[in-house]
Amino acid sequence: MNPVSELVADVAVLTDSLPSQHQGIFSYRVPDHLQAAIAIGQLVWVPLRQQQVQGVVLTIQRRSVSGLRDLIDLVDPDLSIPQLTIQLAHWVAENCYTTLAAVLDLCLPPGMIRQAVTTWRATAAGLTCELGALPERERAILFYLRRHGELSEADLRAALRGSDANLRAAYRSLAERGLITRRLRIDPPRVRPQQEQLVRLTLPDFDQAITELRRAPRQAAALRWLAERTTSDPPTVNELRRATGIDSTGIRALERRGFVQLVGREIYRDPLATVYPSTDTPPPLTSAQRVAYETIVTALEAGTGGRFLLYGITGSGKTEVYLRLIARALRLGRQALLLAPEIALTTQLVRRFVARFGHQLAVLHSGLSDGERYDEWRRLRRGEARVAIGVRSALFAPLPDLGLVIVDEEHEPGYKSDAAPRYHARDAALHLADLAGVTVVLGSATPSVETYYAARNGQIQLLELPERIGAQIGVDGLVHSRPLPLPPVRIVDMRHELQQGNTSIFSIKLQHALAQTLARGQQAILFLNRRGAASFVFCRDCGYVARCERCAAPLTVHYDTATTAEVGESVRVLICHSCGQRTATPVVCPQCLSHRIRASGIGTQRVAEVVRELFPDARVARWDRDSISGKHAHDALLEAMVRHEIDVLVGTQMIAKGLDLPLVGLVGVVLADTGLYLPDFRSGERAFQLLTQVAGRAGRRSEGAQVIIQTYQPDHYALQAACEHDYRAFFREEIAFRRALAYPPFGRLVRFVTTAATESICRRQAEQLAVTLQTYITGRDLVDWRLIGPAPAFFRRQRDRWRWHLLLRVPPATDIREIRLALDAVGPLSGWVIDIDPVHVL
């Protein structure tokens, strides 16, 4: 007998219970009652073994099948992932060596994934039976259920400490005797639409109602207030209570009498409710901006995709080009997405975009509450919002009419996820150009080496904004653009400062420049990419260094602000920046008992302290991970800078990225050498990008600004290029280095990281994988494949776990399928972190 043709859905199940390399895609028959409602991208309930799990529908087709289980139900008919996003998820899963389910989880709003939990409870017979007649394991289960009521299998396993197999055998035996019964419990979603109740007046005869309520004066007062309202919109229950003093019992009494009706209405949790944009007057485009805009718009209107690198120096007006492009996409009926590398950058972008696009804008990042992200997700899916701004995960927002993606500051490492799935948002965005004709624009003043190399070779179209521009009001009362010079950059050799007897963390030039800037009423930024008050504590007699017991990393000195405020003097504490361990600063060396134990190096706390000592009247603030906490902390600090409530801002790399602060007349880099010689092939690139970006914060509205870079390595090519604002000079040096060592873009890297409780085990695991990989390479005569390592990772120990790594270097044209074939051949690689095309190797 031939199988019957049925409607079949292929579903990617969202569960952790499958093996790590199993893609988790299963076929299910669509029952008759769901055939009219089901669609690709919907979240559904399906059976998997003895469980019910959620999954995403990938395909629906009619085919001849037999023996398939039925799909159970839709989770939410309105909750579905667009097909374009599903296609992108397939590509990410393939290129990041991860499961499709792990990527699809990024495509759903928060709080949606639920599991059907198996629970057991004692029946009436089980509550009265004689326990002594049961085997020991079954007796323990039934006794526990009698005492604690209905429990999940996970709770029982934790309490009774048995294996899953033994416990489930005992459950079956008890259930067959009728002593316990099984059911599936599905908890409500963590996030749901927020509702408020409205009060509608429904009484047919007002005077008769007031007569009936003569003994209920508050209810009568509430009816009068409702009847006297001049607006037709019904008030909320809370408004009625505040206005009349009636309580919930009184309102329910009015409802029972039929005098009022309570109606539910959804409340939109608006993350932009506190954003008050200033007046936005678009300036005219410069000739370079217009060329860039018109070139990109041509591709956007054609709808055939297109990849562009908008290379514009700091302050050249890239954001205005973005705004014009998005406006054009909206007029074409398409949606647009702008990605920013960090939450701190979205704050200022959001203000400009709200001023231009208003309610059409949605914001997506982890700084929002789950409820806000859920509501923004649904607004985009419904098409109520047409423009999205967010960090890297916003790439998976539901944008079914997506026509334009802009990746601002495309060079930032924050676009690469450091947890599975380890995708790079820039690369995934570029794939959209091929996948669905989406126009993709990468923007940066310091493009990544790989991106600029691709642009020079024609893989991405290069557009340049070579001139910094300012705005001014002309005699006609209109806004006009005018060219602005880049601020001059001076390098100070701190070795000469020491030779001249200056032991301060500030050079004489920086101190004088800071004094002049404050005297002119301008603001200053002091950059140091290191938090805390000092880098480490060491003993001058025996060389002991205070290290974290769990991570073996040097502990950093911080001022304990809470205790300092309490006792009135600086109190220091040692903190591990890896695991957060805190300990007291030692008074004597624990190794040799010497009193000559000192803090060395500097951090942002120490810089801020020195500024206050030199300039007591200056208003000093810090912007780093220690000082910024809370939902609106970025917004508040940025507002304080714009309102000139801060004179000197001290910060880490958070202040170097894309901020537009019009009153900054001085940028001082306290120590440019931080990170310059890290054992990472991108260390020079990172240094150049950071220095160029932070220098770009100065002089964005007027001339006369300056940048001072302090260093002990003044001849380094990255510093010299940053001093001259010369990206091409840096690129020439860097690309020669990459070519000589076959590093990206002249090769692809796959990084393998393993951890273990002891270093010997960790090393053995790394060496075993290296042998296996080398055998695979030799056996297939892959002459251009090379192994680097194994070796201890730069961060050798973290959270009591030792770390070793090795790199596989392959030719640049190597297809991802060849890499996956190699990984599958040497696997399974459970417990290993596998990072394809890593952004760092530390």
Side-chain angles (χ1 to χ4, degrees):
M1 182 176 177
N2 294 326
V4 180
S5 177
E6 299 274 10
L7 195 64
V8 176
D10 292 327
V11 177
V13 297
L14 308 178
T15 179
D16 297 329
S17 62
L18 295 172
S20 59
Q21 296 308 312
H22 196 297
Q23 283 299 313
I25 300 175
F26 299 92
S27 298
Y28 295 91
R29 193 182 79 88
V30 181
D32 294 341
H33 70 281
L34 291 178
Q35 291 189 6
I38 196 166
I40 291 173
Q42 284 187 311
L43 193 62
V44 294
W45 285 107
V46 295
L48 182 67
R49 302 193 185 106
Q50 303 301 313
Q51 301 176 298
Q52 287 184 19
V53 298
Q54 289 179 321
V56 174
V57 178
L58 302 178
T59 63
I60 302 172
Q61 54 186 318
R62 190 169 292 278
R63 62 178 188 255
S64 299
V65 294
S66 61
L68 289 184
R69 301 173 76 179
D70 278 5
L71 185 147
I72 298 171
D73 203 355
L74 305 181
V75 173
D76 182 344
D78 296 327
L79 190 67
S80 65
I81 303 171
Q83 290 195 42
L84 174 60
T85 311
I86 292 177
Q87 290 176 288
L88 180 64
H90 275 288
W91 183 87
V92 170
E94 174 76 11
N95 282 267
C96 297
Y97 199 63
T98 190
T99 63
L100 181 60
V103 187
L104 289 174
D105 191 39
L106 299 173
C107 305
L108 292 165
M112 287 295 99
I113 303 302
R114 295 179 285 161
Q115 298 289 341
V117 179
T118 300
T119 63
W120 295 94
R121 64 179 177 85
T123 62
L127 292 170
T128 58
C129 79
E130 177 59 46
L131 291 175
L134 297 173
E136 181 181 356
R137 173 61 71 188
E138 295 173 26
R139 182 168 66 246
I141 292 171
L142 187 55
F143 174 76
Y144 204 76
L145 290 174
R146 280 182 175 186
R147 187 168 184 178
H148 297 280
E150 184 174 345
L151 292 171
S152 69
E153 288 189 350
D155 292 335
L156 287 166
R157 182 172 63 249
L160 302 176
R161 302 177 184 278
S163 70
D164 283 335
N166 288 338
L167 287 172
R168 283 175 181 155
Y171 300 148
R172 284 194 298 271
S173 178
L174 287 168
E176 288 168 1
R177 292 192 181 98
L179 302 179
I180 64 173
T181 185
R182 174 181 177 271
R183 80 179 186 97
L184 291 175
R185 183 186 74 217
I186 301 177
D187 296 326
R190 194 176 75 249
V191 183
R192 285 177 284 185
Q194 189 173 13
Q195 298 280 331
E196 66 178 359
Q197 284 190 313
L198 305 179
V199 186
R200 294 183 187 277
L201 198 61
T202 59
L203 72 171
D205 188 333
F206 178 77
D207 293 333
Q208 177 63 33
I210 294 297
T211 302
E212 290 183 28
L213 295 174
R214 61 183 179 276
R215 294 186 178 180
R218 285 195 176 176
Q219 295 179 36
L223 283 189
R224 290 192 185 95
W225 184 81
L226 288 169
E228 292 169 0
R229 279 174 57 85
T230 57
T231 176
S232 59
D233 295 332
T236 67
V237 167
N238 288 337
E239 288 173 336
L240 179 62
R241 293 177 64 176
R242 284 194 300 269
T244 65
I246 191 172
D247 58 14
S248 300
T249 303
I251 295 173
R252 285 195 296 271
L254 289 174
E255 185 184 26
R256 284 195 301 272
R257 290 174 180 267
F259 296 160
V260 300
Q261 179 186 16
L262 299 182
V263 182
R265 179 178 69 180
E266 183 179 342
I267 306 172
Y268 165 51
R269 288 160 285 206
D270 185 3
L272 304 178
T274 59
V275 176
Y276 304 104
S278 57
T279 304
D280 180 55
T281 305
L285 297 178
T286 64
S287 58
Q289 285 176 312
R290 182 159 298 281
V291 168
Y293 168 75
E294 292 176 350
T295 304
I296 299 169
V297 159
T298 300
L300 183 62
E301 291 175 341
T304 55
R307 303 170 168 203
F308 300 91
L309 169 60
L310 186 59
Y311 163 46
I313 64 172
T314 56
S316 59
K318 293 186 292 295
T319 304
E320 183 58 36
V321 176
Y322 300 161
L323 289 163
R324 302 288 182 103
L325 290 171
I326 291 172
R328 185 61 184 154
L330 296 183
R331 289 195 295 272
L332 293 170
R334 309 297 297 274
Q335 290 174 304
L337 168 65
L338 185 139
L339 297 180
E342 288 194 14
I343 297 171
L345 285 186
T346 63
T347 298
Q348 201 164 48
L349 283 171
V350 163
R351 293 181 188 278
R352 291 192 66 178
F353 276 65
V354 168
R356 198 72 63 96
F357 303 115
H359 68 278
Q360 297 185 86
L361 181 68
V363 181
L364 293 168
H365 57 70
S366 60
L368 306 180
S369 68
D370 283 352
E372 288 171 333
R373 289 162 63 198
Y374 174 75
D375 285 352
E376 295 287 75
W377 192 95
R378 290 189 304 139
R379 286 182 66 230
L380 288 166
R381 187 65 181 94
R382 294 168 178 169
E384 296 170 5
R386 307 293 293 174
V387 182
I389 293 181
V391 293
R392 63 172 178 256
S393 59
L395 189 67
F396 301 100
L399 297 161
D401 301 319
L402 185 62
L404 174 68
V405 175
I406 298 169
V407 184
D408 192 28
E409 309 293 352
E410 66 82 23
H411 63 276
E412 282 291 333
Y415 283 121
K416 178 68 183 277
S417 174
D418 56 3
R422 290 177 169 79
Y423 67 98
H424 200 303
R426 178 197 62 210
D427 298 341
L430 286 170
H431 182 65
L432 285 171
D434 300 327
L435 199 60
V438 175
T439 300
V440 180
V441 180
L442 310 181
S444 178
T446 54
S448 67
V449 170
E450 292 94 325
T451 300
Y452 193 71
Y453 181 79
R456 283 171 53 114
N457 284 281
Q459 297 167 275
I460 301 174
Q461 187 170 348
L462 178 62
L463 300 169
E464 298 190 45
L465 302 178
E467 193 172 58
R468 171 175 277 204
I469 57 174
Q472 64 181 12
I473 305 297
V475 293
D476 55 4
L478 300 176
V479 178
H480 293 270
S481 298
R482 65 185 181 92
L484 276 179
L486 286 166
V489 180
R490 290 185 290 172
I491 291 181
V492 177
D493 189 341
M494 295 301 285
R495 296 171 299 182
H496 294 166
E497 293 289 316
L498 287 175
Q499 292 168 6
Q500 294 168 8
N502 179 19
T503 58
S504 169
I505 63 174
F506 294 151
S507 63
I508 300 300
K509 285 183 181 178
L510 184 53
Q511 290 183 45
H512 287 167
L514 194 53
Q516 292 168 1
T517 301
L518 296 174
R520 287 195 299 264
Q522 294 179 323
Q523 293 172 309
I525 286 178
L526 298 178
F527 169 75
L528 176 65
N529 205 19
R530 183 183 290 150
R531 293 179 286 149
S535 304
F536 59 94
V537 169
F538 78 107
C539 176
R540 294 188 176 185
D541 289 333
C542 71
Y544 163 82
V545 175
R547 296 182 180 275
C548 174
E549 295 177 355
R550 300 177 62 195
C551 303
L555 294 167
T556 303
V557 181
H558 285 253
Y559 295 123
D560 188 332
T561 52
T563 309
T564 297
E566 220 175 278
V567 302
E569 59 183 41
S570 295
V571 176
R572 296 184 174 193
V573 64
L574 298 180
I575 299 178
C576 175
H577 285 172
S578 178
C579 70
Q581 176 188 328
R582 297 168 65 96
T583 186
T585 305
V587 179
V588 298
C589 174
Q591 189 164 281
C592 71
L593 303 181
S594 168
H595 286 272
R596 286 164 49 83
I597 189 164
R598 299 286 186 272
S600 183
I602 54 173
T604 50
Q605 282 187 325
R606 176 60 182 154
V607 173
E609 182 183 53
V610 173
V611 174
R612 292 188 183 99
E613 292 171 358
L614 293 173
F615 305 97
D617 296 330
R619 297 165 295 180
V620 184
R622 281 176 33 239
W623 194 338
D624 56 30
R625 197 179 302 170
D626 298 321
S627 61
I628 295 295
S629 61
K631 184 175 180 180
H632 299 293
H634 292 287
D635 298 9
L637 194 54
L638 189 57
E639 273 294 304
M641 279 293 288
V642 172
R643 292 196 302 264
H644 202 172
E645 295 171 0
I646 297 170
D647 297 316
V648 182
L649 181 63
V650 180
T652 57
Q653 60 183 346
M654 299 173 77
I655 65 173
K657 302 173 183 178
L659 299 178
D660 189 4
L661 303 170
L663 297 177
V664 174
L666 169 68
V667 167
V669 179
V670 180
L671 185 62
D673 307 340
T674 306
L676 201 57
Y677 291 105
L678 288 174
D680 184 271
F681 70 95
R682 296 187 198 271
S683 60
E685 180 183 15
R686 292 278 181 268
F688 172 79
Q689 289 167 342
L690 267 177
L691 293 175
T692 303
Q693 291 285 343
V694 74
R697 301 316 106 204
R700 296 179 72 90
R701 292 293 186 278
S702 60
E703 300 176 23
Q706 59 181 319
V707 180
I708 295 176
I709 298 176
Q710 299 183 160
T711 178
Y712 290 92
Q713 303 291 334
D715 298 325
H716 194 284
Y717 70 92
L719 272 61
Q720 288 293 324
C723 181
E724 298 296 328
H725 301 286
D726 192 343
Y727 177 82
R728 289 181 178 82
F730 159 75
F731 180 80
R732 285 193 298 271
E733 291 277 354
E734 187 69 17
I735 204 71
F737 159 69
R738 301 280 186 93
R739 183 182 286 108
L741 297 178
Y743 280 133
F746 303 103
R748 297 189 71 179
L749 298 178
V750 182
R751 187 184 186 213
F752 303 83
V753 183
T754 185
T755 64
T758 66
E759 187 170 22
S760 60
I761 294 175
C762 194
R763 177 176 182 170
R764 184 166 62 250
Q765 290 173 174
E767 290 173 344
Q768 287 172 349
L769 179 59
V771 170
T772 306
L773 278 168
Q774 189 58 58
T775 302
Y776 177 87
I777 292 168
T778 305
R780 284 158 182 77
D781 195 25
L782 301 171
V783 293
D784 294 323
W785 290 40
R786 293 285 185 273
L787 281 182
I788 305 172
F794 178 75
F795 298 107
R796 188 169 184 167
R797 188 177 169 209
Q798 288 183 328
R799 300 177 185 269
D800 278 333
R801 303 283 294 178
W802 293 88
R803 302 172 71 247
W804 275 59
H805 67 159
L806 66 152
L807 293 173
L808 172 62
R809 188 177 64 201
V810 301
T814 305
D815 188 80
I816 187 62
R817 285 169 291 188
E818 296 178 66
I819 296 174
R820 289 184 65 96
L821 189 65
L823 297 178
D824 290 339
V826 301
L829 295 168
S830 57
W832 282 86
V833 171
I834 301 168
D835 191 356
I836 299 173
D837 300 321
V839 296
H840 70 81
V841 293
L842 299 176

